[in-house]
Amino acid sequence: MTALPTVDCTVYPYECDAFGHLNEAAFLAVFERARWESLARGPGMDVFRRSGVWPAVRKATIDYRAGAYPGDVLRVETLVTHRGTTSFTLKQAATRVRDSALISEAELVFVCIDSIGRATPIPEEIARLLGPRTGGAGSRAGAGDLLRIEAGGAELAVEIRGEGLPVLFVHGFPFDRSMWKHQLATLAHYKRIAPDLRGAGASTAPDDGYSMSRYADDLVAVLEAAGVERAVVCGLSMGGYVTFELLRRHPKRVQALILCDTKAEADSPHGRRERDELAALAQSAGAAAVAERLLPALLAPATHTAQPEVVQQVREMIERTSVAGIVGALHAMRDRPDSTALLPQIRVPTLVLGGADDAIASPAVMQAMAAAIPGSHFATIPSAGHLAPLEQPLAISRRLTDFLSTLA
Ligand code: MLT
């Protein structure tokens, strides 16, 4: 994913409506101003004209997240999330500088047209600015190569996309690889490898044999199948617990670490009892009851109110998880070792990233974990809970890109 220069835009009184704030129509203008400013700082505002094409907006979606008023300074980030032959897609996010509140997000699809309005291939200079092509319809639509591999009595589904530094995405509980869909679609310079853990998504669900060591050995089988010796390992929550086990058992496989919304401590006695209770609920009432129980705490309050489609996606993801997979994962988490003693021994570059409103792995816990890992970096994502990659995909992808670019 290519980033265009980030710019600050002040909100002027004349842009605001009768209520005194920016409305969605005004955001279109602010985002456009930011794009021009971005070009002015990069290749020049005349880059399209001198290449003989014009970027016509074919579709614009504006998400209004919070009010902005005259005098507010908005920091606008712009990312290229897709580049085809004639078209490209930009995502823009405006965050208020004063309090880091996410104010608005936009997605815009452009088609390069010539002087009589015909779609025309993106000229060389602009192609360089936008970064490499992100593939045809297949790779955009979420269909990377889906491998099926044998590992320890299970068949694992593994999505593999792109080329470059390998990044292994390990999902949490009770989710599947689709929780990384935005990162899989947009981190175009990297080889993205995303398995469904045994018992999740499109992988098979054996009746028993679930443990952190089994999941970690499965990841080694995944890397082997992808032809990768070492990878940057990015684990969210239970994916982080599996990543700690991978570090203990197969340290040479880990080139760098990204720990999202996770913690190093083992379960307390109370936590273990809760695992057993949830397993019993799954067995008696099914995955839908588990979704109902978990959903309130999984997502930030802002996600529950402003992003019903994300709530629905998470619900569906949990509901399609098999009961055997849910129970197996609960037992594996209940019995997992404490990883706090491992933290000071970590010697690979590490990014610790969490939602500012994560009620399961709180920012304070994450910050303490980061402080125990030598040289690690820590960041929180505003307006995100435990599933920050789905709740604030742009902000997460941007953090990942910044970190990954220091490793290449
Ligand atoms: C997860 O997202 O993987 C779970 O919240 C982990 C846990 O329950 O400890």
Side-chain angles (χ1 to χ4, degrees):
M1 188 162 46
T2 307
L4 302 183
T6 295
V7 298
D8 288 353
C9 294
T10 304
V11 176
Y12 297 115
Y14 70 81
E15 294 171 304
C16 296
D17 64 13
F19 189 62
H21 68 151
L22 281 179
N23 59 27
E24 318 84 271
F27 277 123
L28 270 178
V30 171
F31 281 125
E32 178 165 14
R33 180 146 58 94
R35 294 197 298 277
W36 282 119
E37 190 64 34
S38 215
L39 288 181
R41 292 177 195 196
M45 289 168 93
D46 62 342
V47 63
F48 286 96
R49 258 189 211 295
R50 67 178 185 252
S51 303
V53 297
W54 190 248
V57 178
R58 289 291 188 251
K59 186 174 170 202
T61 314
I62 303 284
D63 281 326
Y64 178 104
R65 303 258 182 231
Y69 297 87
D72 282 348
V73 178
L74 303 182
R75 180 149 300 155
V76 182
E77 291 183 307
T78 303
L79 294 176
V80 183
T81 57
H82 166 67
R83 176 167 90 74
T85 309
T86 60
S87 69
F88 60 95
T89 304
L90 299 183
K91 279 201 175 182
Q92 295 186 281
T95 309
R96 186 164 42 218
V97 169
R98 165 166 56 82
D99 57 2
S100 297
L102 180 65
I103 301 295
S104 179
E105 288 177 291
E107 183 172 70
L108 302 113
V109 180
F110 296 84
V111 175
C112 276
I113 54 171
D114 63 14
S115 58
I116 54 167
R118 290 173 308 198
T120 190
I122 298 171
E124 184 55 33
E125 185 182 6
I126 295 162
R128 276 200 306 276
L129 172 73
L130 298 174
R133 277 178 59 101
T134 48
S139 62
R140 280 179 68 197
D145 286 343
L146 193 65
L147 293 186
R148 302 202 69 91
I149 65 163
E150 278 293 318
E155 193 183 82
L156 305 178
V158 187
E159 188 170 335
I160 303 183
R161 293 204 202 182
E163 286 304 328
L165 180 69
V167 185
L168 176 65
F169 290 94
V170 191
H171 63 78
F173 165 85
F175 314 131
D176 57 40
R177 69 179 197 284
S178 70
M179 60 148 288
W180 299 110
K181 65 177 188 170
H182 299 288
Q183 291 69 38
L184 296 179
T186 55
L187 296 178
H189 301 288
Y190 302 95
K191 178 166 187 158
R192 293 143 278 159
I193 306 166
D196 285 329
L197 294 175
R198 59 178 54 224
S203 293
T204 58
D207 287 336
D208 47 31
Y210 294 78
S211 65
M212 287 302 145
S213 51
R214 183 63 262 167
Y215 287 132
D217 291 353
D218 286 350
L219 292 185
V220 173
V222 166
L223 291 178
E224 293 280 331
V228 164
E229 188 62 33
R230 301 171 81 210
V232 181
V233 184
C234 175
L236 181 134
S237 199
M238 186 180 87
Y241 313 156
V242 179
T243 302
F244 289 135
E245 195 60 32
L246 186 70
L247 265 179
R248 269 189 290 270
R249 292 170 74 81
H250 308 284
K252 292 203 165 62
R253 296 290 187 167
V254 182
Q255 177 173 353
L257 277 179
I258 303 168
L259 298 169
C260 288
D261 298 291
T262 191
K263 52 192 168 208
E265 292 78 17
D267 281 357
S268 64
H270 173 69
R272 290 194 190 109
R273 277 195 300 281
E274 286 191 330
R275 301 289 190 200
D276 289 336
E277 279 164 26
L278 194 58
L281 178 72
Q283 278 159 332
S284 63
V290 173
E292 205 54 38
R293 169 78 62 87
L294 296 181
L295 263 171
L298 283 175
L299 301 168
T303 307
H304 280 289
T305 52
Q307 300 194 80
E309 71 288 356
V310 173
V311 181
Q312 186 56 19
Q313 189 199 334
V314 175
R315 182 184 293 282
E316 286 169 9
M317 190 164 53
I318 299 176
E319 287 181 355
R320 65 175 175 255
T321 305
S322 67
V323 169
I326 291 177
V327 172
L330 284 165
H331 290 167
M333 288 191 288
R334 178 195 63 193
D335 299 337
R336 76 186 189 279
D338 192 301
S339 295
T340 44
L342 180 70
L343 303 178
Q345 296 166 26
I346 293 176
R347 291 288 176 272
V348 293
T350 301
L351 172 66
V352 178
L353 207 51
D357 301 324
D358 189 338
I360 296 169
S362 71
V365 165
M366 299 274 295
Q367 189 161 22
M369 182 171 75
I373 303 174
S376 70
H377 300 279
F378 169 68
T380 54
I381 305 296
S383 305
H386 192 57
L387 275 164
L390 276 177
E391 298 177 78
Q392 296 300 340
L394 200 60
I396 284 278
S397 298
R398 183 60 188 259
R399 291 283 181 178
L400 297 189
T401 309
D402 287 349
F403 176 68
L404 293 170
S405 65
T406 65
L407 305 174

